[in-house]
Amino acid sequence: MEKVALVTGASSGIGLDTAFKLLKKGYKVYGAARHTDLIKPIEEKGGKALYLDLTDPESITQCVKTIVEEEGRLDVLVNNAGYGLGGPLECVPIEEAKRQFEVNVFGLAEITKAVLPVMRAQRSGKIINISSVAGRFSSPFLGWYHATKYSVEALSDTLRLEVRPFGVSVVLIEPGMIKTPWGKIAADNLRKYSQDTAYSQNASNVADFYDKNYSEKGHISGPEVISNTILKACQKKHPKARYLAGKNAKTIVNLRKMLSDRAYDFVASRIFGFK
């Protein structure tokens, strides 16, 4: 039986590459994003493109309803959609912080809630949440982003226990430094919300760090490292609860575990060039 997968945030990077890999492995793939013109390549390779706005409950309901009506089942949900909001905690408007949670946390939760009745009825399914190493440590000027990823980690751990009796697996993928638009978006927001503030110098140094490392010349992992990990989790009968993957992922997490808070603060300040 052909398995059916839904990949959110499928317009570029990890999401698009994941959709392509699942198609090659014989999955019926639905790629979802707000900009459906950017997911046409999925249709060209035999998949289907759906409009999805994770801040709109009706859009979420319609997306899942379409798949279930057409296929009668849903085997894999890859919760990939999300973005990074940079800026000093004091300076980021609370409305922007709320939107960060709407997309990265509440939207993820809403679409997960929408697919669970189908998966429970099947007594099978995989929910793969794309978290980040940012859910295992914190860094300056990304407080709201870290907060959303910590939330995804906590919700995933809870959900894994709740749905296991129904044959549904919940998997966390924790990317390290990956060459996607995330770095530029975070850096641009950081500069936007820190200019002409008391944080401008240090924030500029952090933004420069992201620009340098997430550029085309940056020595970090490509999105295929994460899409390969997602595919691995999809194909495993009993996948692990967590997969760390990508540049410095294991190093960052292990370093944070080893260091005291004071030592970590010192190291982080040096890395980001704090004055």
Side-chain angles (χ1 to χ4, degrees), residues 94-260:
I94 201 67
E95 292 77 15
E96 289 296 324
K98 288 178 179 178
R99 176 171 173 76
Q100 176 90 140
F101 268 87
E102 286 290 340
V103 175
N104 290 10
V105 181
F106 300 128
L108 176 149
E110 284 283 3
I111 198 162
T112 298
K113 289 173 65 176
V115 307
L116 275 174
V118 181
M119 291 184 175
R120 282 192 291 102
Q122 295 169 178
R123 306 292 297 186
S124 67
K126 288 187 175 72
I127 296 168
I128 300 178
N129 293 333
I130 310 305
S131 178
S132 169
V133 292
R136 306 279 291 275
F137 80 104
S138 293
S139 61
F141 305 123
L142 280 176
W144 291 115
Y145 178 71
H146 283 288
T148 64
K149 292 305 181 181
Y150 270 74
S151 296
V152 169
E153 296 270 332
L155 289 174
S156 299
D157 284 340
T158 293
L159 187 64
R160 187 176 66 251
L161 291 168
E162 293 176 350
V163 301
R164 183 180 177 186
F166 304 104
V168 179
S169 301
V170 178
V171 178
L172 276 161
I173 308 292
E174 300 170 321
M177 299 176 73
I178 307 297
K179 199 171 292 184
T180 69
W182 179 94
K184 178 171 172 47
I185 293 170
D188 288 348
N189 279 327
L190 206 166
R191 291 192 177 95
K192 173 183 176 182
Y193 291 120
S194 66
Q195 61 184 353
D196 300 324
T197 73
Y199 304 97
S200 58
Q201 182 58 64
N202 284 334
S204 178
N205 290 343
V206 175
D208 288 345
F209 173 89
Y210 290 125
D211 277 340
K212 177 182 177 181
N213 285 281
Y214 285 88
S215 70
E216 285 300 316
K217 296 180 180 179
H219 299 296
I220 59 177
S221 302
E224 68 278 358
V225 172
I226 305 305
S227 57
N228 285 337
T229 305
I230 294 169
L231 183 63
K232 179 180 178 180
C234 287
Q235 295 185 300
K236 284 271 189 180
K237 184 176 181 181
H238 300 293
K240 296 193 296 185
R242 280 176 170 78
Y243 291 86
L244 278 166
K247 180 74 172 180
N248 292 335
K250 292 180 181 178
T251 301
I252 292 170
V253 171
N254 289 334
L255 185 66
R256 185 62 190 97
K257 287 179 180 178
M258 290 168 51
L259 295 177
S260 67

